Amino acid sequence: MNSGKLGNRTFVTIKDVAKTAGVSIATVSRILNHTAGVSETLEARVREAIETLGYSTNDAARTLKGKNSFSIGLIIPDIQNPFFPALVRSIEDTAHASDHAVLLCNSDGDVEQEMRYIRFLHGKRVDGILLIGGQQSNKSVELAESLQMPIVLLDRRVKGKKLPAVFLDNAHGGRLAVEYLLACGCQKIAFIGRRSLSSAEERFNGYCEALNDKNIEINRKLIQSQPFTFDGGYKGTEALLKEKVEFDAIFAGNDVMAFGAIACLQSHGMNTPQDIQVVGFDDIWMAKGYNPSLTTLCQPVAEIGQAAVNLLLNLREKTEPKVLEMRFLPQLIIRDSTMKKSKE
Amino acid sequence: MNSGKLGNRTFVTIKDVAKTAGVSIATVSRILNHTAGVSETLEARVREAIETLGYSTNDAARTLKGKNSFSIGLIIPDIQNPFFPALVRSIEDTAHASDHAVLLCNSDGDVEQEMRYIRFLHGKRVDGILLIGGQQSNKSVELAESLQMPIVLLDRRVKGKKLPAVFLDNAHGGRLAVEYLLACGCQKIAFIGRRSLSSAEERFNGYCEALNDKNIEINRKLIQSQPFTFDGGYKGTEALLKEKVEFDAIFAGNDVMAFGAIACLQSHGMNTPQDIQVVGFDDIWMAKGYNPSLTTLCQPVAEIGQAAVNLLLNLREKTEPKVLEMRFLPQLIIRDSTMKKSKE
DNA sequence: TTGAAAGCGGTACCAT
DNA sequence: ATGGTACCGCTTTCAA
């Protein structure tokens, strides 16, 4: 028995099962795939053979012959970015729930890397790609399209490309953040972020819209362009301090920047929320545990991941290339980095 | 051209290349694999055909016929545990560097899940498994062995199993932590952790050893068994406070617990490091940014991940089932959650 | 209902 | 050096 081999390992094949059960391999295949009526007698015999032999289907053969590989590629900038783990987790759970493997690839947001991975995943014949792109991912997307690979965009838009995508309404989040700070009594709200990514830009737009709504003029000095890191938040705050602009609140592009901002304030003898109020974005796990705990915008990560996988898997069924876009809403989570000031 | 199909997608196959180049598929295969001498003329023609046609090799076919699948399975409890992302990143970088895909699976530390994933990965014919196991992973390991799947243990030992493995010397880390706290002038050092995982148990052992070395008796009341979470750290500290045991330092099982501990202390009006000094373990990214920044033990995650992948990939070459174990040393990183007290 | 057999896209052995 | 071809494990059509 154990006719199959791969390297120095041996595998039970469909042939072994067929022989032990005394049927043809076609019958075994049918039973495995519930693909045609098979008599109960044979079915029982085959199932027993499968059991005793410990047969497991060979996905490589199935892929070679069949329609899909039961795997998807997930390209993200860096799993070490604390926003991604929760999203990745929900993607994997969803994918595995329909028996699809997830091949994780870290691109560092670099187009060349992305394209390398797309080619790699093409060789693996993945059923599709979930992409959280970088700034120039339009090239990657074009490559994927030319390779006829189904692709779904996640979290970030790609300029000039209309594609199936799952997003958060970042502008709405920005608006919520600023509106809440205003409601808290803040007047001079600074923004630390960067307009490099679509998501980041939208958050900034939300910030502007909320201020416009209240007829508050936007003060350029209150806007600091910094990378979305702890250090970025720290430096942006330092810059605000140096410029001697007055400000009473900071809306940070994400939670990690918010932590950096708070740390900077503290090292300059200012407290959050008493002196300066701070709002972050994403609601990563640490937002609750930071000192002070962080008011922030919570993304429905589980739903987003799930929607993205389902969208991708449905894509290959439909022949018409439906461009679907799903948009989710963030939710304001109020914690200790903000406070309602009594009118002075 | 484009003879291959998969679903409604089409692929360029080796046959297409052969036809365009006017050679046999055997020749193309040889060139692809540098497997035998081929005349420069033909090689040039073939390479050009590959280029113009945009051929990419079909891994499913290659796997079916050949020795490996160029993929490995990575089973971890949960990517959302902030210690894992950095490790996973280094694993993926290393694997991809030798053209292997990484199939990520989250088991939640549950044996049943682990076994489900092992079977799944077996079907995918992965070249091996990297396992960060849970408490009862001996069953999973046995399954993998019975399936003849190369397996390397990571980070945590599995009871009763001697296997290729890559570990941190956790006991050494525990010792370093406690020795440093003693050097800082602390006398009553509490431990919050849990002895469920081998890594955790070893950290505790290091704690005991360091105290024994100095002939300090171990006070049971100073030891709090708690899960390795923020809340665990918080509750463990609360318990210490309630028991009214005197203590001047806390060695937490990991960084997240340390954050919880510090938060709890603060909410009880005690400051770190002035009142209670705290040391964590792992040096996750937030350790530097927390308030106060955390003294902790840094794991050489990049090296560990790299070693694990290489060990796994080498495993299938060797026929003799060498049991290799690699042990890495943690490094004490001193930050603001500890301080040298002047003698009182 | 069941079986025989033709491939899927490669690799590698055997000829030439 | 090059080509022909058997075969990897499975799915699916065609006959029986």
Side-chain angles (χ1 to χ4, degrees):
Chain A
M1 221 43 66
N2 285 5
S3 62
K5 279 184 199 175
L6 203 165
N8 36 31
R9 299 192 273 157
T10 58
F11 294 89
V12 179
T13 74
I14 202 175
K15 266 186 201 161
D16 302 323
V17 176
K19 201 181 292 174
T20 347
V23 301
S24 75
I25 60 169
T27 302
V28 179
S29 175
R30 284 184 193 112
I31 291 172
L32 253 22
N33 302 293
H34 327 276
T35 203
V38 176
S39 74
E40 296 192 359
T41 340
L42 286 197
E43 163 130 22
R45 289 224 306 270
V46 170
R47 293 236 173 266
E48 194 187 327
I50 289 177
E51 192 62 33
T52 57
L53 262 38
Y55 168 81
S56 99
T57 177
N58 182 332
D59 274 6
R62 200 209 278 272
T63 301
L64 183 55
K65 182 66 187 177
K67 297 202 179 358
N68 40 216
S69 66
F70 299 99
S71 64
I72 64 175
L74 172 58
I75 305 180
I76 67 178
D78 186 1
I79 186 69
Q80 294 179 89
N81 173 334
F83 169 63
F84 293 136
L87 183 59
V88 169
R89 175 68 203 254
S90 101
I91 288 170
E92 299 210 312
D93 286 349
T94 312
H96 279 126
S98 26
D99 276 315
H100 286 255
V102 175
L103 314 202
L104 186 51
C105 308
N106 296 90
S107 69
D108 285 322
D110 173 45
V111 219
E112 298 301 330
Q113 272 284 28
E114 282 177 9
M115 294 176 70
R116 234 194 307 284
Y117 278 130
I118 289 173
R119 291 211 179 78
F120 175 80
L121 294 169
H122 181 248
K124 292 273 178 238
R125 296 295 184 269
V126 294
D127 297 335
I129 290 181
L130 242 36
L131 173 69
I132 303 183
Q135 301 183 39
Q136 311 156 283
S137 292
N138 47 325
K139 282 176 67 183
S140 321
V141 168
E142 274 157 24
L143 176 60
E145 284 173 331
S146 77
L147 260 20
Q148 302 175 288
M149 306 177 81
I151 185 167
V152 166
L153 256 33
L154 204 46
D155 189 53
R156 300 168 187 181
R157 211 170 292 281
V158 162
K159 59 184 173 211
K161 287 287 161 188
K162 189 77 180 158
L163 284 172
V166 180
F167 293 119
L168 184 83
D169 191 330
N170 285 288
H172 184 67
R175 238 177 285 120
L176 287 178
V178 173
E179 281 166 8
Y180 183 68
L181 284 171
L182 292 171
C184 283
C186 299
Q187 310 273 357
K188 290 151 189 157
I189 303 172
F191 176 82
I192 306 180
R194 170 161 281 186
R195 267 168 287 177
S196 51
L197 262 19
S198 69
S199 52
E201 171 146 26
E202 286 169 22
R203 289 173 196 183
F204 176 69
N205 292 343
Y207 163 89
C208 296
E209 288 168 23
L211 292 180
N212 284 336
D213 284 354
K214 300 283 182 187
N215 292 316
I216 300 173
E217 212 174 321
I218 287 158
N219 181 350
R220 294 224 142 271
K221 290 192 176 169
L222 286 176
I223 295 160
Q224 294 293 334
S225 176
Q226 289 289 340
F228 276 60
T229 60
F230 185 91
D231 287 341
Y234 198 101
K235 281 181 192 155
T237 307
E238 220 163 26
L240 287 171
L241 259 22
K242 272 201 191 109
E243 293 214 32
K244 303 219 188 289
V245 222
E246 257 187 78
F247 65 101
D248 50 15
I250 297 177
F251 171 37
N254 70 5
D255 289 347
V256 181
M257 298 186 82
F259 299 151
I262 292 173
C264 176
L265 291 170
Q266 267 158 349
S267 77
H268 285 262
M270 309 176 80
N271 287 318
T272 299
Q274 297 83 356
D275 304 318
I276 308 283
Q277 307 203 26
V278 176
V279 173
F281 210 114
D282 290 346
D283 194 27
I284 64 175
W285 63 277
M286 196 64 226
K288 189 159 66 80
Y290 201 70
N291 174 30
S293 65
L294 190 68
T295 294
T296 189
L297 286 139
C298 178
Q299 299 205 31
V301 206
E303 286 83 352
I304 291 177
Q306 201 178 343
V309 172
N310 289 331
L311 186 53
L312 184 62
L313 295 183
N314 288 335
L315 231 47
R316 48 166 197 217
E317 326 258 288
K318 329 275 170 146
T319 28
E320 348 122 43
K322 278 188 189 170
V323 175
L324 298 171
E325 190 171 311
M326 303 188 63
R327 179 176 298 277
F328 287 82
L329 287 181
Q331 195 190 343
L332 182 72
I333 308 288
I334 298 168
R335 297 211 185 85
D336 299 339
S337 65
T338 51
M339 62 188 287
K340 296 258 180 192
K341 287 191 235 178
S342 49
K343 290 259 164 96
E344 302 164 57
Chain B
M1 221 45 65
N2 284 9
S3 62
K5 279 185 198 175
L6 203 165
N8 37 30
R9 299 193 273 157
T10 58
F11 294 90
V12 179
T13 75
I14 201 173
K15 267 185 199 161
D16 302 322
V17 175
K19 200 181 292 175
T20 348
V23 299
S24 74
I25 60 169
T27 301
V28 178
S29 176
R30 283 185 195 110
I31 291 172
L32 253 21
N33 302 292
H34 325 279
T35 202
V38 176
S39 74
E40 295 193 359
T41 340
L42 286 197
E43 162 130 21
R45 288 225 305 272
V46 170
R47 293 233 172 268
E48 192 186 328
I50 289 178
E51 192 62 32
T52 55
L53 261 40
Y55 169 80
S56 98
T57 176
N58 182 333
D59 274 5
R62 199 207 279 274
T63 301
L64 183 57
K65 179 68 186 174
K67 296 203 180 353
N68 40 217
S69 65
F70 299 98
S71 64
I72 64 176
L74 172 57
I75 305 180
I76 67 178
D78 186 3
I79 186 70
Q80 294 181 88
N81 173 333
F83 169 63
F84 293 136
L87 183 59
V88 169
R89 175 69 203 254
S90 100
I91 288 170
E92 300 210 310
D93 287 350
T94 312
H96 279 126
S98 25
D99 276 314
H100 286 255
V102 176
L103 315 202
L104 186 50
C105 308
N106 297 89
S107 68
D108 285 322
D110 173 46
V111 219
E112 298 302 330
Q113 272 285 26
E114 282 176 9
M115 293 176 70
R116 234 193 307 284
Y117 277 131
I118 289 173
R119 292 211 180 78
F120 176 81
L121 294 168
H122 182 248
K124 292 272 178 235
R125 296 297 184 268
V126 294
D127 297 335
I129 292 181
L130 242 35
L131 174 67
I132 303 183
Q135 302 183 39
Q136 310 155 283
S137 292
N138 47 326
K139 282 176 68 183
S140 321
V141 168
E142 275 156 24
L143 176 60
E145 285 173 331
S146 77
L147 260 20
Q148 304 174 286
M149 306 177 81
I151 184 167
V152 165
L153 255 34
L154 204 47
D155 189 52
R156 301 168 186 180
R157 211 170 291 283
V158 163
K159 59 185 173 211
K161 287 286 161 190
K162 188 75 181 161
L163 284 173
V166 180
F167 293 119
L168 184 83
D169 193 331
N170 285 287
H172 184 67
R175 239 177 283 120
L176 287 178
V178 174
E179 281 166 7
Y180 182 68
L181 284 171
L182 291 171
C184 283
C186 299
Q187 310 273 355
K188 290 151 189 155
I189 304 172
F191 176 82
I192 306 179
R194 171 160 279 185
R195 268 168 286 175
S196 51
L197 262 19
S198 70
S199 52
E201 171 147 26
E202 287 168 21
R203 289 173 196 183
F204 176 69
N205 291 342
Y207 163 89
C208 295
E209 287 167 22
L211 291 181
N212 283 335
D213 284 354
K214 301 282 183 188
N215 291 316
I216 300 173
E217 213 174 321
I218 287 158
N219 181 350
R220 293 224 143 273
K221 290 192 175 169
L222 286 176
I223 296 161
Q224 293 292 335
S225 177
Q226 288 289 341
F228 276 60
T229 60
F230 184 90
D231 287 341
Y234 198 101
K235 282 181 192 155
T237 307
E238 222 163 24
L240 286 171
L241 260 21
K242 271 199 192 114
E243 292 215 32
K244 302 219 191 289
V245 222
E246 259 187 75
F247 64 99
D248 49 16
I250 297 176
F251 171 37
N254 70 5
D255 288 347
V256 182
M257 299 186 82
F259 299 150
I262 293 173
C264 177
L265 291 170
Q266 267 159 348
S267 77
H268 285 263
M270 310 176 80
N271 286 318
T272 298
Q274 297 83 355
D275 303 318
I276 307 281
Q277 308 203 27
V278 176
V279 173
F281 210 114
D282 290 345
D283 195 27
I284 64 175
W285 64 276
M286 196 63 227
K288 190 158 65 76
Y290 201 71
N291 173 30
S293 65
L294 190 68
T295 294
T296 189
L297 286 139
C298 178
Q299 298 204 33
V301 207
E303 287 83 352
I304 291 177
Q306 202 178 343
V309 172
N310 289 331
L311 187 53
L312 184 62
L313 294 184
N314 288 333
L315 231 48
R316 47 164 198 222
E317 326 257 291
K318 329 276 168 145
T319 27
E320 347 123 44
K322 277 187 190 173
V323 175
L324 298 171
E325 190 170 311
M326 303 188 63
R327 180 176 297 279
F328 287 82
L329 288 181
Q331 194 190 343
L332 182 72
I333 308 288
I334 297 168
R335 297 209 184 87
D336 298 339
S337 65
T338 52
M339 63 188 288
K340 296 259 180 193
K341 288 191 234 174
S342 49
K343 290 260 164 97
E344 301 164 56

